[in-house]
Amino acid sequence: MGTHPRGDAIIQDNRIPQKTLGQWIAENPACLGVKVKDAFQGHLPFLFKVLSVNTALSIQAHPNKELAAKLHAQFPENYPDANHKPEMAIALTPFEGLCGFRPVEEIVSFLQSIPELRALIGEVAAEQLERSGSDDPRGVSAALRVCFTRLMKSEKKFFVDQLNTLVKRISQEVAEGKDTSGSNGDLLLRLHSQYPGDIGCFTIYFLNLVRLEPGEAMFLGANEPHAYLHGDCVECMACSDNTVRAGLTPKFIDVLTLCEMLNYTPAPSSSKIFPAVQSQLDPNIYLYDPPVPDFTIMKIEIPSSIKLYLVSAVESASILLVIQGTAVGTSTAAASEMTLRRGSVLFISANESISLHLSSPDGMLLFRACCLL
């Protein structure tokens, strides 16, 4: 849902001459709101998505603006625009993902208990990480970079052999009823069944496993390594399709770029959960406001006791998505009333409001993406 050239949203109202949202905004740029129009050169600055992740999505990171421009100039077929792509995922169901580097002691523990992993990293790099003290963050990051780069650049035949040995060993332990949590056995076997022989299977020993409950979020800034593993979420991001991938994918991978660009600062998984803040103006709204200007998301939970609700005007164009519940929407901007149900998507111009006449017995759940400069 947005205006990126690779997926410009289709307008369903056939009374409107423009067929896509991008075309309509180009003809009606004031709909963005003055600040957004000026700051983003007349373009809608965000993309809004719903993802249903059944098999893991690739180990990846997104470049900052400077690197994005460089990659786009050099390899436009793989990096289709010059924009950065910070993004946020908000869980709709229990959700699992990998995000950011684990605390070093966790990685060291895996290096000591999983000989196949240590063989890929090599003794010298492994010992360097073991010796790096917590009082020297730069030393830790440097050692982590060496270890992760050694892993990702392993020769294919060598890492496939090590992976097969590890999978065989853990499968045997599972069959014998042993606890394999010390080697992240369940997750390894699951990823290996989805992507057999893929180097990405080993990244679970470097990256935090983050579990989100519905309504919890994670924010992925530039150069943050991540992969979505399982669950449903709404996702909002800057309007870009720039992804540097390195594993768990059949798509183009660019290991060198990824290993160069990553943020090698370890942090516990709990620090990766991004808090929502209840709005002071409307207790039904929770704001997810990341440290980038491109987007903010609102979760709007309307209880069953409310039968008339005003989706209030903001100074930015926004996209409203219905997750559950039904209502009839009316607005001064729309020529006729709109029936809203699960899966309905509305584009709302800046400074426009919508009245919802709720008809579902159990209230509504909506998400709204906008740009609050």
Side-chain angles (χ1 to χ4, degrees), residues 85-324:
K85 194 189 174 191
E87 63 188 21
M88 180 175 280
I90 304 173
L92 295 174
T93 63
F95 192 84
E96 273 187 327
L98 299 173
C99 177
F101 284 99
R102 293 172 175 271
V104 168
E105 51 276 16
E106 291 181 23
I107 300 171
V108 165
S109 165
F110 286 132
L111 282 171
Q112 291 169 349
S113 62
I114 303 168
E116 299 84 355
L117 176 66
R118 198 175 184 96
L120 288 177
I121 303 296
E123 204 51 45
V124 176
E127 284 178 7
Q128 187 188 352
L129 189 65
E130 285 164 347
R131 284 197 306 268
S132 66
S134 52
D135 52 348
D136 175 19
R138 286 176 68 175
V140 168
S141 293
L144 194 50
R145 175 192 288 264
V146 170
C147 286
F148 190 73
T149 305
R150 290 284 308 244
L151 171 73
M152 298 309 288
K153 288 187 183 170
S154 315
E155 194 190 333
K156 175 133 191 169
K157 184 184 179 319
F158 184 45
F159 82 66
V160 170
D161 285 349
Q162 295 296 333
L163 182 56
N164 289 341
T165 306
L166 176 59
V167 166
K168 190 174 168 187
R169 180 163 66 77
I170 289 180
S171 302
Q172 213 165 345
E173 288 173 8
V174 170
E176 292 165 8
K178 289 184 183 167
D179 176 15
T180 62
S181 56
S183 49
N184 232 342
D186 287 355
L187 183 55
L188 179 83
L189 295 182
R190 182 169 25 128
L191 292 182
H192 186 260
S193 72
Q194 295 173 11
Y195 297 97
D198 191 302
I199 190 68
C201 295
F202 277 108
T203 60
I204 61 174
Y205 301 119
F206 279 89
L207 304 180
N208 284 302
L209 177 59
V210 180
R211 290 189 171 94
L212 303 178
E213 290 303 314
E216 289 187 323
M218 55 183 173
F219 172 68
L220 304 155
N223 307 326
E224 182 87 271
H226 63 279
Y228 296 154
L229 300 179
H230 194 264
D232 299 343
C233 70
V234 292
E235 189 186 34
C236 196
M237 65 204 64
C239 186
S240 169
D241 195 22
N242 281 325
T243 300
V244 184
R245 297 180 182 85
L248 302 182
T249 179
K251 295 181 179 176
F252 172 76
I253 65 174
D254 190 347
V255 171
L256 284 175
T257 301
L258 187 89
C259 291
E260 276 298 304
M261 69 188 266
L262 289 184
N263 167 14
Y264 288 98
T265 308
S269 59
S270 56
S271 69
K272 299 299 175 188
I273 297 179
F274 189 92
V277 178
Q278 191 170 20
S279 162
Q280 293 183 326
L281 302 173
D282 180 344
N284 302 306
I285 294 180
Y286 282 83
L287 281 174
Y288 302 81
D289 193 11
V292 291
D294 310 66
F295 62 90
T296 298
I297 310 166
M298 299 177 187
K299 178 178 74 167
I300 307 173
E301 274 186 288
I302 310 169
S304 54
S305 56
I306 294 179
K307 293 303 172 203
L308 181 61
Y309 180 83
L310 184 71
V311 177
S312 50
V314 292
E315 287 185 2
S316 142
S318 61
I319 293 176
L320 186 73
L321 166 68
V322 181
I323 298 293
Q324 66 188 52

Side-chain angles (χ1 to χ4, degrees), residues 1 48 50 92 234 300 319-327 339-346 356 360 363-368:
M1 300 169 279
F48 201 22
V50 180
L92 295 174
V234 292
I300 307 173
I319 293 176
L320 186 73
L321 166 68
V322 181
I323 298 293
Q324 66 188 52
T326 51
T339 305
L340 301 182
R341 57 175 71 86
R342 178 179 170 84
S344 297
V345 183
L346 286 185
L356 298 181
S360 47
M364 286 189 92
L365 174 61
L366 313 159
F367 282 90
R368 183 183 192 181

